[in-house]
Amino acid sequence: MKIILYSTNCPKCKQLERKLNTLGVKYEICYDLQPLIDAGFKSAPILKVEDKFYEFASAWKKAEELV
């Protein structure tokens, strides 16, 4: 399963990154936000799991499901 965290290193991005690390979720970090802009998103963090995008609140919940 491919998981990507799109991040700007903002406080919410760092918070989601800590959550993923605490849960032991394997993921990649991407700082190139162009794919998000192309997909219509206007803020980060965004968690991409396979081909689905999750904004912060739903990403927080999704992280727990990935364990």
Side-chain angles (χ1 to χ4, degrees):
M1 179 180 314
K2 185 168 184 160
I3 302 170
I4 302 172
L5 173 60
Y6 289 93
S7 174
T8 62
N9 276 328
C10 72
K12 281 187 175 182
C13 294
K14 291 179 183 180
Q15 188 178 14
L16 184 54
E17 186 176 349
R18 279 192 301 273
K19 172 93 170 178
L20 293 169
N21 289 337
T22 298
L23 293 171
V25 176
K26 302 289 184 203
Y27 63 95
E28 298 173 26
I29 295 180
C30 182
Y31 299 105
D32 176 11
L33 302 184
Q34 193 59 50
L36 298 181
I37 295 166
D38 294 344
F41 294 100
K42 297 180 189 221
S43 65
I46 298 290
L47 188 66
K48 183 178 179 189
V49 180
E50 294 297 330
D51 60 348
K52 293 192 178 193
F53 293 92
Y54 299 89
E55 294 183 271
F56 181 74
S58 56
W60 191 264
K61 293 176 185 172
K62 184 66 177 175
E64 294 174 355
E65 296 172 11
L66 297 171
V67 179

